[in-house]
Amino acid sequence: MKKIYFLFLFWLISGIVSQSQAQNAKANYAIIKGKSFVQSKNYYLLTLFQNLPEVKHLLSNDATLKSITAKKIEALDNASKQCQNKVSCLSESMQFSETEIEEIGNRLGVLYEENNALGKLVSEHLIPSGTYILAQKLTPKEQLIKAWEQDARGINFTIGVYVAGQKPNYPNIDSISFKVTHKSYPQLVGDLHKTVHEESKKANLFFVPSITAALLALEINEREQVADFEPMASTVNKLAFDRIKTINWKAFPYSVILVPGAGPEEPEVTLSAGGMLRCRVAALRYFEGLAPFVVVSGGNVHPYKTKFNEAIEMKKFMVEKLKVPANAIIVEPHARHTTTNMRNTARLIFRYGIPFDKACITSTSKSQSMYIQELNLDKRCEKELNHVPYRKGKRLSETEAEFYPLIEALQINALEPLDP
């Protein structure tokens, strides 16, 4: 009986330890930029592969992975001769095949050891970054493989949309910048393919050709806005970020007031009428002392390929017109949907060291407030993000409702390269 009891106790303690180690995202974890914020924010595991010397050495010197790399480069060379500028053929040659994804995943599993470079990558970077947090219930080895699969399929998605012209999740705002039916487009893809081959023909890491193709595709489509204003804590958010550490949080009922953007439909309009009205309501709540910060959230969204950023324009309006102090406004300039207004704000709250267990409020139009609180936003989040990044609180008025940020918000969305 004692033996059974101690076995049970050991199992229970092991389970608790395992669970606590399974996910410990850390607010002070410093995301490694790598070659660009576009890459690190979309494909963080591959950024770690490139930038951690011990990991890079392990992967680039593994015979199996070296063989896969050589075959990929050879396949690119063959495609340039055989595809004859056929877009689908060229784009497929730059993507990962399902066989490659499985083969590489299996090899990473073989190479993984708890105390080697890959083990340290998972324990010191993958887990504390929180960027693959939805895999938190898996073993560390499984988390590594899952992250690889996510990055690989994310790269395939980017190439599929921004080279092959496949439909993104929101075609009206996120689709390819070129007319794929134009007679000159196959030549452009042929030139892109040649550039990818030239830039990666000496690669010693298996993913370089495909990630190069994805990043170049975003570049030529002028779709690199995910990197705008980064690192934000030392650029557009420096004043607010520096002020955070001075706040007596007990003096405020809420931590932040979130204002989701409302993009105009006319190219020359910087801020829509709806956006102005949302800012005015939020300013009233700020001056009432509900929270020490206002988060203005919205990217370069409406109309298609607009040059104006919703969050930046809202901040200008609030500072210049409504006299809200600049150091009380946190800019979130990347969200493209209401789902990511919520998610990206939760991320900033966590990363900036704002109390994560303190209630926040949304301040917006009556219709959007209803959509966030009572209607289908949580279901849409589940469908599009594979999680809900917030927990609902109580309704305060027709235009305000409480929410609490959730840690799942840190998860990268590989199928939204403009705001992953």
Side-chain angles (χ1 to χ4, degrees):
M1 195 70 183
K2 285 185 177 179
K3 184 176 181 182
I4 294 173
Y5 171 79
F6 282 116
L7 283 173
F8 172 77
L9 189 61
F10 175 79
W11 170 83
L12 182 63
I13 293 171
S14 297
I16 293 170
V17 171
S18 170
Q19 191 174 19
S20 66
Q21 290 177 340
Q23 197 49 251
N24 288 307
K26 299 184 184 304
N28 62 354
Y29 174 81
I31 297 289
I32 294 174
K33 174 191 169 187
K35 291 186 176 181
S36 72
F37 282 106
V38 178
Q39 175 177 321
S40 63
K41 291 177 76 171
N42 272 287
Y43 318 115
Y44 193 53
L45 176 68
L46 303 186
T47 302
L48 293 173
F49 282 174
Q50 278 184 323
N51 288 275
L52 299 177
E54 291 183 8
V55 175
K56 185 175 182 179
H57 178 80
L58 174 65
L59 300 181
S60 61
N61 287 282
D62 178 71
T64 300
L65 295 178
K66 285 174 71 173
S67 174
I68 292 171
T69 307
K71 288 177 183 177
K72 191 67 175 180
I73 294 170
E74 183 182 3
L76 278 176
D77 189 34
N78 292 337
S80 64
K81 301 168 186 173
Q82 297 168 2
C83 290
Q84 298 180 336
N85 282 354
K86 186 178 178 182
V87 171
S88 60
C89 179
L90 290 170
S91 62
E92 285 175 13
S93 72
M94 294 184 282
Q95 293 173 316
F96 294 105
S97 69
E98 282 301 313
T99 300
E100 288 172 330
I101 293 174
E102 182 178 1
E103 187 178 358
I104 292 166
N106 289 338
R107 189 58 188 167
L108 291 174
V110 170
L111 291 173
Y112 174 89
E113 294 178 12
E114 184 178 348
N115 296 315
N116 73 354
L118 286 176
K120 292 177 182 177
L121 178 151
V122 175
S123 63
E124 296 176 7
H125 294 277
L126 212 63
I127 290 174
S129 76
T131 48
Y132 302 88
I133 199 166
L134 294 188
Q136 61 184 311
K137 294 182 180 179
L138 302 178
T139 66
K141 181 198 291 189
E142 290 169 338
Q143 289 188 57
L144 174 67
I145 296 170
K146 188 76 172 177
W148 151 247
E149 292 172 348
Q150 175 177 307
D151 280 15
R153 295 197 173 102
I155 284 171
N156 284 356
F157 181 87
T158 298
I159 295 170
V161 172
Y162 295 105
V163 179
Q166 297 167 3
K167 282 188 177 182
N169 294 327
Y170 290 87
N172 289 340
I173 58 173
D174 295 339
S175 57
I176 193 170
S177 301
F178 307 99
K179 283 191 175 181
V180 296
T181 56
H182 196 280
K183 62 181 181 180
S184 66
Y185 186 65
Q187 181 61 53
L188 176 64
V189 176
D191 291 342
L192 170 67
H193 189 275
K194 289 185 180 71
T195 304
V196 170
H197 182 252
E198 283 296 310
E199 291 195 7
S200 58
K201 64 183 180 182
K202 295 182 180 179
N204 56 7
L205 287 169
F206 57 90
F207 56 87
V208 168
S210 295
I211 199 173
T212 300
L215 295 173
L216 287 180
L218 292 172
E219 179 181 272
I220 66 172
N221 277 273
E222 298 180 316
R223 291 296 198 173
E224 297 181 299
Q225 288 87 3
V226 68
D228 287 352
F229 313 109
E230 294 286 8
M232 293 190 295
S234 58
T235 58
V236 290
N237 286 334
K238 179 172 171 47
L239 292 176
F241 181 76
D242 290 345
R243 180 170 167 257
I244 287 170
K245 61 179 73 74
T246 71
I247 299 299
N248 174 16
W249 294 101
K250 293 180 180 179
F252 299 90
Y254 301 103
S255 61
V256 304
I257 301 165
L258 164 60
V259 191
E265 293 303 330
E266 301 79 19
E268 70 280 2
V269 176
T270 60
L271 181 62
S272 71
M276 293 179 190
L277 294 175
R278 293 180 187 186
C279 287
R280 283 190 169 277
V281 174
L284 290 174
R285 302 293 90 83
Y286 169 77
F287 286 119
E288 287 169 4
L290 265 64
F293 294 100
V294 176
V295 176
V296 286
S297 175
N300 294 63
V301 186
H302 297 284
Y304 174 77
K305 294 199 77 174
T306 179
K307 299 298 181 184
F308 297 110
N309 182 276
E310 291 176 6
I312 295 296
E313 298 304 324
M314 285 194 290
K315 179 178 179 179
K316 287 180 184 176
F317 182 78
M318 294 191 84
V319 172
E320 296 171 9
K321 189 85 171 180
L322 307 180
K323 307 307 177 185
V324 177
N327 67 359
I329 300 177
I330 297 172
V331 170
E332 189 294 293
H334 302 121
R336 306 185 69 75
H337 317 291
T338 310
T339 54
T340 46
N341 290 140
M342 304 297 290
R343 183 201 66 185
N344 294 358
T345 299
R347 288 177 176 178
L348 287 179
I349 290 169
F350 183 75
R351 300 289 186 203
Y352 284 7
I354 295 171
F356 204 66
D357 57 353
K358 193 173 180 69
C360 317
I361 60 173
T362 52
S363 182
T364 182
S365 62
K366 177 181 175 181
S367 59
Q368 189 183 45
S369 187
M370 286 289 293
Y371 178 57
I372 292 171
Q373 186 75 359
E374 279 85 24
L375 299 179
N376 295 320
L377 182 62
D378 50 354
K379 294 178 181 176
R380 183 176 159 197
C381 286
E382 196 66 62
K383 179 182 177 182
E384 297 178 9
L385 306 177
N386 206 25
H387 69 276
V388 181
Y390 65 95
R391 177 171 61 84
K392 296 176 185 178
K394 62 189 176 188
R395 173 160 295 287
L396 303 176
S397 70
E398 288 186 335
T399 54
E400 279 82 31
E402 295 178 346
F403 74 96
Y404 295 83
L406 296 180
I407 198 67
E408 287 81 3
L410 300 180
Q411 172 71 33
I412 291 172
N413 181 4
L415 303 184
E416 290 285 355
L418 307 191
D419 180 29

